Amino acid sequence: MTMCLVICHSFYNPIDSGAVQITQSNLDMVLASNEIVFINFYAEWCKFSNILMPIFDDAAVEVAKAGYDPGKVVMGKVDCDQEGAIATRFHITKYPTLKLFRNGFPAKKEYRGQRSVEAFAEFIKKQLTDPIVQFGSLKELHDLSEDKRHIIGYMDRRDQPEYEVLRKVAASLKDECLFHAGFGDASQQMHPPGQPIIVFRTDKRTSIEPDETYHGSMLNFDELYTWVQQKCIPIVREITFENAEELTEEGLPFLILFHHPSDTESVKKYKEIIMNELESEKQNINFLTADGVRFEHPLHHLGKSVSDLPLIAIDSFRHMYLFPKYSDMEIPGKLKQFLQDLYSGKLHREFHYGTEAPASDNDIKVTTPPESTFKKLAPSKNRYTLLRDEL
């Protein structure tokens, strides 16, 4: 039994063999037994895959030499021609594609940084940095940003198992929330001895949600992850130039409130209406807010300017449609009907032919709604990669 364990450990944590060759038979084992798995999805016929392969293998050797604890990190590679089921499972259509997996979950975005041994090694090092900021007194929590969402852990010790579970959750969701933890005297007023507490604090500047304490098991990663994810990824999100690519990759049309950056009241009202009336639509639409000064270009496409803020529009990735009157969103059912008109094609028809039926074919005046602007922020289909049919 000891020999088997040694062989398995050496297979999934190679020192000299470069990246681990991942197949259907060992994929789930690799993902389950390592906190970080960084995978190169390649095809042998692809020139760029062949250029990257020795660099990625050398980086895997460097990462192995860095001395990370067993189960922390593995760099792997998948031959997508031989392992078509894996490529299909993770929607791989371009080569080489580099994806990070953390605690078994794929990251939302591909790796698109520099492709060198040093860059890969630094990327892995950054992924393993503790994402939780320690506070030394409760006073420090008074100064937390009101523009961000926070998860706060009140703990006895850093080495207790509940903290390790929170750390893994934080590593997976650090782009969605800011994580904090206090130990010993710094947090003893907030929890009974031996009973750590985890609390969610909302982005108070633009949100109406209350703070909330977690009541599930702090030793159950899946349970805590689900709760934190629900709190940290709200139904209404802000779109920025930094996350626009990620949001477009989700493939859902946008319902966007464009607002002045100093206007927080319209954001709160919009969020309240979405939560109360449109939560059932979250599988069909992305509810977003946008800084109308930074995103002034889409306003021009709609025939508007910063002086017209706030305003609401749909971007369907084909066209943009303006909600006729911002204040009407407070009329129950108005925004919902706007979405229904998108789904039914009514918005598209009315932009082409007007709201009234023409008396005859000669009276038809065809107009074209403004083109989508956010589709231009989607990732290039050919970035870094080559498709087989492009050879």
Side-chain angles (χ1 to χ4, degrees), residues 88-108:
T88 299
R89 175 175 170 181
F90 297 117
H91 311 290
I92 306 299
T93 58
K94 306 174 293 182
Y95 312 104
T97 291
L98 302 177
K99 273 188 173 290
L100 181 80
F101 295 77
R102 189 187 297 276
N103 300 310
F105 295 98
K108 292 182 179 180

Side-chain angles (χ1 to χ4, degrees), residues 5 11 19 69 74 97 121 126 136 171 173 187 190 217 232 272 282-283 338:
L5 290 175
F11 182 76
D69 292 339
V74 157
T97 291
K126 184 178 179 181
L173 296 170
S187 64
M190 302 300 295
S217 170
C232 291
E272 181 179 9
K282 65 183 179 180
Q283 303 301 321
F338 188 49

Side-chain angles (χ1 to χ4, degrees), residues 257 266 269 273 277 308-312 323-332 334-335:
L257 167 71
S266 67
K269 176 58 67 174
I273 291 171
E277 298 184 20
D308 296 305
L309 297 174
L311 56 85
I312 296 171
F323 185 63
K325 188 177 181 182
Y326 163 76
S327 60
D328 282 355
M329 77 169 180
E330 298 190 45
I331 300 175
K334 272 287 188 178
L335 267 184

Side-chain angles (χ1 to χ4, degrees), residues 132-198:
I132 300 179
V133 176
Q134 182 176 345
F135 60 86
S137 70
L138 295 179
K139 289 182 180 179
E140 296 177 28
L141 300 180
H142 297 161
D143 299 324
L144 296 184
S145 170
E146 294 190 349
D147 292 321
K148 304 291 184 181
R149 294 178 167 233
H150 305 268
I151 298 294
I152 306 170
Y154 301 99
M155 306 274 177
D156 294 298
R157 309 177 315 280
R158 182 183 287 273
D159 64 352
Q160 65 188 120
E162 290 88 348
Y163 178 77
E164 178 60 16
V165 175
L166 178 62
R167 187 194 66 78
K168 288 184 176 181
V169 171
S172 296
L173 296 170
K174 62 183 178 181
D175 293 333
E176 316 296 345
C177 262
L178 299 180
F179 289 79
H180 315 266
F183 308 97
D185 294 342
S187 64
Q188 63 180 0
Q189 297 179 38
M190 302 300 295
H191 70 101
Q195 298 180 34
I197 289 176
I198 295 174

Side-chain angles (χ1 to χ4, degrees), residues 49-265:
S49 291
N50 291 324
I51 293 172
L52 178 64
M53 185 62 70
I55 299 172
F56 197 82
D57 279 338
D58 288 347
V61 173
E62 288 301 308
V63 168
K65 288 179 179 177
Y68 297 114
D69 292 339
K72 280 292 185 182
V73 60
V74 157
M75 292 180 66
K77 54 191 176 186
V78 174
D79 182 338
C80 292
D81 282 337
Q82 298 296 321
E83 302 295 337
I86 297 179
T88 299
R89 175 175 170 181
F90 297 117
H91 311 290
I92 306 299
T93 58
K94 306 174 293 182
Y95 312 104
T97 291
L98 302 177
K99 273 188 173 290
L100 181 80
F101 295 77
R102 189 187 297 276
N103 300 310
F105 295 98
K108 292 182 179 180
K109 295 187 288 186
E110 301 171 14
Y111 174 86
R112 293 192 176 116
Q114 183 182 354
R115 297 188 171 195
S116 68
V117 172
E118 296 76 18
F120 288 145
E122 184 61 30
F123 174 70
I124 293 297
K125 180 180 178 181
K126 184 178 179 181
Q127 301 309 310
L128 292 170
T129 301
D130 193 333
I132 300 179
V133 176
Q134 182 176 345
F135 60 86
S137 70
L138 295 179
K139 289 182 180 179
E140 296 177 28
L141 300 180
H142 297 161
D143 299 324
L144 296 184
S145 170
E146 294 190 349
D147 292 321
K148 304 291 184 181
R149 294 178 167 233
H150 305 268
I151 298 294
I152 306 170
Y154 301 99
M155 306 274 177
D156 294 298
R157 309 177 315 280
R158 182 183 287 273
D159 64 352
Q160 65 188 120
E162 290 88 348
Y163 178 77
E164 178 60 16
V165 175
L166 178 62
R167 187 194 66 78
K168 288 184 176 181
V169 171
S172 296
L173 296 170
K174 62 183 178 181
D175 293 333
E176 316 296 345
C177 262
L178 299 180
F179 289 79
H180 315 266
F183 308 97
D185 294 342
S187 64
Q188 63 180 0
Q189 297 179 38
M190 302 300 295
H191 70 101
Q195 298 180 34
I197 289 176
I198 295 174
V199 174
F200 164 71
R201 180 181 294 183
T202 190
D203 46 339
K204 294 181 180 296
R205 185 168 178 266
T206 60
S207 180
I208 60 171
E209 297 172 70
D211 293 356
E212 186 176 326
T213 300
Y214 175 64
H215 295 293
S217 170
M218 295 185 194
L219 297 175
N220 186 316
F221 171 84
D222 291 336
E223 189 175 347
L224 180 59
Y225 178 90
T226 299
W227 182 81
V228 172
Q229 183 183 47
Q230 290 173 347
K231 298 302 173 186
C232 291
I233 305 179
I235 185 173
V236 179
R237 295 176 283 178
E238 180 184 11
I239 187 169
T240 65
F241 287 115
E242 291 74 25
N243 70 2
E245 181 178 292
E246 174 185 318
L247 291 172
T248 58
E249 284 185 302
E250 294 178 10
L252 297 176
F254 294 168
L255 180 70
I256 310 174
L257 167 71
F258 293 94
H259 65 97
H260 194 277
S262 63
D263 174 17
T264 59
E265 289 306 311

